Amino acid sequence: MNTQPIGIFDSGIGGTSIFKEIHALLPNENSIYLADSKHAPYGNKSKQDIIELSAKNTEYLLSKNCKLIVVACNTATTNAVSHLRSKYNVPFIGIEPAIKPAALNTETKAVGILATKGTLSSELFHKTTDLYSNDINVIEQIGEGIVPLVEEGKATSNEMKALLTDYLKPMIDANIDYLVLGCTHYPYVMPLLLELLPKHVKIIDSGLAVAKQTKAVLEQNQLLNKTAKTPENAFYINTNITVLKDIVGANFKVEYLDF
Ligand code: DGL
């Protein structure tokens, strides 16, 4: 049982930022990563479409005997994780924008949040934001166009720089001291964010928290892999494999899969 893989899925290659955190914390674990790049971006799709795609990804991973599923996508989590939890009998770990630590620590009382339309319009996101942002100016920005550029391997391109310059301006004008990254593709634009934001702005994402939660849930369910065998971490994508291969490096198996 414990050697069964962890299943991880995203609308594309962004969730590899979560895989990297999980692999660093749980190096013994086998895993299967599913990049549904053919249907990216999820962020502009209806809630029903996001639920259907998330269920399809989950079913594939369960058919591969996964013991736990990490929904490495804010958009899929905020729109579909309650559906997945009620339908499938395995633990699910989701990812949501880390609004709480930003709201609790901001000194300027202004916090920026960059996420997809699907995440920012979801009920779950609003619930969390309302809970923590009473006296705080939360500047929400849809990151339209960022996911497709990351998927094309253009995370540090001039096109990306132009988009981010536009998106960050209202936040900089409002004197934010925290920027919350609400999409797992966005850690890949970190070099540009660091270049464009004033030095005092702290950037937070939920990657490490997701890895810690994954470990805790595996422990609670006695599902940790305690064997010392070299783990297998496989990656599947339903479009061109090149960008995913570049992002995960030569140590991992990346294959095309028609799904
Ligand atoms: N990585 C996904 C997320 O965290 C991207 C969503 C999309 O495909 O629009 O929301």
Side-chain angles (χ1 to χ4, degrees):
M1 179 76 166
N2 298 357
T3 57
Q4 289 173 245
I6 294 174
I8 306 171
F9 78 82
D10 180 33
S11 62
I13 61 177
T16 53
S17 61
I18 305 300
F19 163 78
K20 287 174 185 171
E21 300 279 6
I22 292 174
H23 187 57
L25 195 66
L26 296 164
N28 277 352
E29 294 293 332
N30 297 306
S31 65
I32 300 177
Y33 182 98
L34 208 54
D36 187 18
S37 297
K38 192 159 90 184
H39 299 106
Y42 281 13
N44 295 336
K45 294 193 184 332
S46 69
K47 183 178 169 80
Q48 193 50 37
D49 284 351
I50 297 168
I51 287 176
E52 278 166 25
L53 291 167
S54 300
K56 184 166 78 97
N57 297 334
T58 299
E59 280 170 23
Y60 177 79
L61 292 168
L62 293 179
S63 78
K64 295 288 160 197
N65 210 19
C66 289
K67 59 185 174 185
L68 170 146
I69 308 286
V70 179
V71 182
C73 175
N74 292 258
T75 311
T77 299
T78 51
N79 286 277
V81 81
S82 55
H83 173 89
L84 299 175
R85 287 192 172 120
S86 68
K87 189 163 174 197
Y88 304 102
N89 194 22
V90 280
F92 283 89
I93 309 294
I95 178 163
E96 285 180 65
I99 194 87
K100 182 178 168 185
L104 293 179
N105 292 305
T106 175
E107 285 174 8
T108 61
K109 300 288 172 210
V111 164
I113 158 119
L114 193 59
T116 69
K117 189 169 155 209
T119 294
L120 292 177
S121 61
S122 69
E123 220 177 288
L124 191 57
F125 172 75
H126 282 289
K127 261 196 197 151
T128 316
T129 309
D130 291 349
L131 208 60
Y132 297 107
S133 63
N134 250 345
D135 56 339
I136 288 161
N137 182 14
V138 179
I139 297 108
E140 295 175 17
Q141 174 66 53
I142 296 173
E144 186 68 43
I146 298 176
V147 167
L149 284 177
V150 173
E151 289 288 317
E152 286 167 38
K154 296 180 180 163
T156 53
S157 61
N158 285 335
E159 260 169 294
M160 184 71 87
K161 189 170 179 175
L163 280 186
L164 291 176
T165 303
D166 270 4
Y167 296 161
L168 297 177
K169 181 163 189 315
M171 301 187 187
I172 295 169
D173 290 349
N175 195 25
I176 61 159
D177 57 357
Y178 278 87
L179 171 65
V180 178
L181 301 186
C183 172
T184 55
H185 282 72
Y186 297 174
Y188 289 113
V189 302
M190 193 63 88
L192 283 176
L193 292 173
L194 292 172
E195 185 186 324
L196 296 168
L197 283 167
K199 294 286 163 274
H200 70 275
V201 176
K202 295 178 197 67
I203 304 169
I204 48 177
D205 73 73
S206 317
L208 182 57
V210 169
K212 286 182 177 166
Q213 179 67 1
T214 304
K215 186 176 179 195
V217 171
L218 286 175
E219 264 164 4
Q220 279 159 25
N221 292 279
Q222 272 121 40
L223 288 172
L224 273 178
N225 186 356
K226 298 203 171 121
T227 62
K229 256 182 70 189
T230 316
E232 195 175 305
N233 304 106
F235 293 80
Y236 297 103
I237 185 163
N238 51 11
T239 58
N240 192 316
I241 66 168
T242 317
V243 180
L244 180 56
K245 241 183 145 74
D246 286 349
I247 264 185
V248 297
N251 289 339
F252 299 108
K253 180 177 115 181
V254 179
E255 278 179 17
Y256 171 79
L257 182 76
D258 189 15
F259 69 97

